[in-house]
Structures are given as C-alpha cells and as structure tokens.
Amino acid sequence: MIKFLDLHKINEQHRDSIEKRLQDVLDSGWYLQGEQNALFARHFAQYCQTEYALGVANGLDALNLIIRGYGFGIGDEIIVPANTYIASILAISQNNCTPVLVEPDISTYNINPLAIEEKITAQTKAIMVVHLYGQATQMEHIWELAKKYKLKIIEDSAQAHGAKYKGLRVGNLGNASAFSFYPGKNLGALGDAGAITTNDVQLFEKIRALANYGSECKYQHIYKGVNSRLDEMQAAILDVKLAYLDEENERRREISRYYQDNIKNPLLILPRAYEKESHVWHVFVVRTEHRDALQKYLESKQIQTNIHYPTAPHKQAAYKELAHLKLPITEKIHREVLSLPISPVMSMEELSYIVTCINEFSV
C-alpha cells in the first residue's frame, strides 16, 4: 500500500536530532514557556520575515486569538473563502462574528480577489485569506481593498508554511497570521501545535496575554483569557524540523512537477502554481467528475488518497444558517477534488506507479 502520507517515515529522518532536543527538555525540568519555546518563536519569526511569533496550542486557537486580539465581536463581519476547511469559519463564529463567504478562483482554489469588494459592508472588519492546499493567495488587490476600506487582513497559513508571494512569505502578507503544526502539515509537530505571526507589537502583546489566561504578570489578569500554549517538547521538535522545511518543500515541488508532466489522463484537471515559490504543495489536488470512481479504483491499486474536503462548510449541519447560499464554484470543487499522495519521502518508484495507474483509469 502506498500511504497517502507516511508520517513515521517523514519524522524518522529527524529522529536523532529530535531525541537529543527532547532529552534537553527532560533534563531542563522546564516544560512550558521555556527556552525551547522562545527559541522556536525567534526562529519562526525570522523564517516568516516578521517581527514577532507566538507559539500556541493549535491552529484554531491561533485564529481565535487573532480575532479576539482585535476585539471583533457581535455585528462584525469577516470575509472568508467559501471552500476553506471549517476551522477558518469556526474561529469567526466562535468570536460571535458573522462569516461572509466568498467564492474561490477555480484555477487556484484560493479566494477570488475580484469577488470580495461586492461583499464588503459597513460591518466588515477583516478579510481572512486562506492559503489553501499550500498556495499563497494572490494579495495585490486584497491589499488595495484593505487600505481602501480600512480592513484588517488575517491569514490562515495552516497549509502553506514557506510559500511566498512577491518575495514575502505567508505569515507576513497581512496584519496577523495563524499557523497550524498538526502532524500532517509541511511543518508538523508530533501532536497539536500552532503559532501566530505579526509585525504589530500591540496585537502581539495582547494575544500573548490572552493565550496565558489573560495575564501579562503571574496572578494578574487584565483580560478574560484562555489557556493556549505551545509546550516545550513540541517547540523543540518544530525547531529541529524548521531547518529542513525549505528542502522538504522543494522536494514537494519536484513531485508536483512529475505529476504535472506525466499525468495525461484527460478525465483529470491538474493543479498549477502561478509562480514556483507561490506553492509548497501541502496537498496535490486533482479534479474530476468521476472522483468517487477514481478513488475506489486507486484504492484497488493499493494507493491511498484523501478528499480535501468532501462537504463545503455551508453544507455542514453546524452551519445550517448558511445552507441557503448559492455557491456553485465552491460546491463543484468539493464535489470533484481528490488529493494524491505527496510527501518529501516518496520514492520515484511509487510516483511512477501512481502515474501509470491514473493514466490507465477509465469510466
């Protein structure tokens, strides 16, 4: 069986370095808010080209904390792509804000910048861009809209660690950015983990307090905060793996090029990067009207696949109040997408076999 994602093999490459750093944590006797956390935050901010980075418990917390940090709440609207993972929208509604769903550009799967302005109202406070599947959103027009209407830009960078737009890394394309380090991400922890990046010192200091029970000083609470901290072991693991992220992203690009150059089946629509560095290929998503048949066929050939995502957020039971929305592009995407195996540890033999099987698929 060719696994969709072989996490054991990915992390095995770094076993010796990870074990050494974990031993350092054990020997230190300090397991929260310590040296490893500070080290990773510093290195991750440098990597993202931002002034500040804060480790938090997970990606959803990161989004939540950014929205709370800005004080957005009841009556405030946040624009968000309609085809995102539900976490992006959960963060909005959990802060009592209203998600305003905008259709994606079907060629990139990211929010369509030209469809945003018609959704802006007097209640709009922010645009949340989601760098879906690993490709940085095209930001030029969004920057113009944010300036014109005095809106914040919140990045959901959970799937695009290391991607760039016009030389800037995701995490530094808006006012603040949320990252997830769920184990399957390009930069993955060995459990839940997340981070926030920003250049705004006031926002950073408020979020840091909010994430620590609303406290800047022990036992003194200035906000009604939460407990969302990146533990020392996950910080140590992430710091080890961060050093290899660009190299592993480049391997993902090589795999994506192989797929693009060699998959010739006319039943499939292949993804494309608008620029080489814009995409880090968190997942390689093809589209076909015969998605379910293709997935079943590949399973019979011992090839695991995944669907990102089978049901659009506005069609989820949790968001039945959005079910009336007419979002044909979003619904088409969710109906047709299938993710093929892609990871930096895949062999050429595996890739060749996958391509051969796909090219032989018919209905």
Side-chain angles (χ1 to χ4, degrees), residues 93-305:
S93 58
Q94 286 175 1
N95 281 279
N96 297 311
C97 297
T98 301
V100 177
L101 276 54
V102 172
E103 289 266 63
D105 179 339
I106 201 164
S107 66
T108 66
Y109 304 117
N110 285 331
I111 195 168
N112 182 351
L114 301 180
I116 293 173
E117 190 165 17
E118 65 186 40
K119 300 288 187 178
I120 295 174
T121 72
Q123 287 72 48
T124 306
K125 299 298 182 184
I127 301 168
M128 183 184 290
V129 297
V130 182
H131 308 300
L132 198 65
Y133 302 154
Q135 178 145 235
T137 301
Q138 292 173 291
M139 296 296 299
E140 195 74 41
H141 187 59
I142 296 173
W143 288 333
E144 292 173 2
L145 291 174
K147 183 177 181 180
K148 178 179 179 180
Y149 292 100
K150 297 181 172 55
L151 305 177
K152 300 298 184 184
I153 297 175
I154 300 169
E155 293 179 80
D156 182 339
S157 303
Q159 298 186 11
H161 311 153
K164 289 183 178 181
Y165 178 77
K166 294 188 179 298
L168 296 174
R169 288 201 194 272
V170 302
N172 193 23
L173 301 178
N175 298 96
S177 178
F179 289 85
S180 166
F181 304 121
Y182 180 80
K185 305 298 187 185
N186 290 32
L187 179 60
L190 300 192
D192 275 323
I196 296 164
T197 57
T198 185
N199 294 311
D200 183 337
V201 63
Q202 291 182 320
L203 179 68
F204 172 74
E205 289 176 350
K206 184 175 181 181
I207 287 173
R208 182 170 57 183
L210 282 169
N212 186 37
Y213 297 99
S215 174
E216 290 181 340
C217 177
K218 195 170 184 178
Y219 301 134
Q220 301 296 317
H221 305 272
I222 56 177
Y223 307 110
K224 296 174 183 175
V226 297
N227 175 20
S228 184
R229 297 175 294 198
L230 178 64
D231 71 69
E232 285 290 277
M233 290 197 174
Q234 297 300 343
I237 292 163
L238 289 167
D239 198 51
V240 167
K241 296 179 69 177
L242 178 61
Y244 300 93
L245 179 57
D246 284 345
E247 177 185 332
E248 294 183 358
N249 281 344
E250 188 55 40
R251 176 58 181 153
R252 288 174 179 270
R253 291 187 179 110
E254 291 171 359
I255 293 168
S256 74
R257 285 194 293 271
Y258 184 85
Y259 278 147
Q260 290 164 338
D261 291 344
N262 292 282
I263 294 175
K264 304 298 183 182
N265 193 318
L267 297 175
L268 276 66
I269 298 171
L270 304 182
R272 301 290 177 186
Y274 61 83
E275 293 176 358
K276 178 187 174 183
E277 290 192 317
S278 72
H279 214 317
V280 292
W281 301 99
H282 172 57
V283 284
F284 189 93
V285 178
V286 300
R287 279 192 9 252
T288 174
E289 294 179 356
H290 310 285
R291 191 263 307 283
D292 295 344
L294 175 60
Q295 185 174 44
K296 186 175 181 180
Y297 163 79
L298 291 175
E299 184 179 358
S300 76
K301 298 294 186 179
Q302 300 296 297
I303 299 168
Q304 288 183 346
T305 59

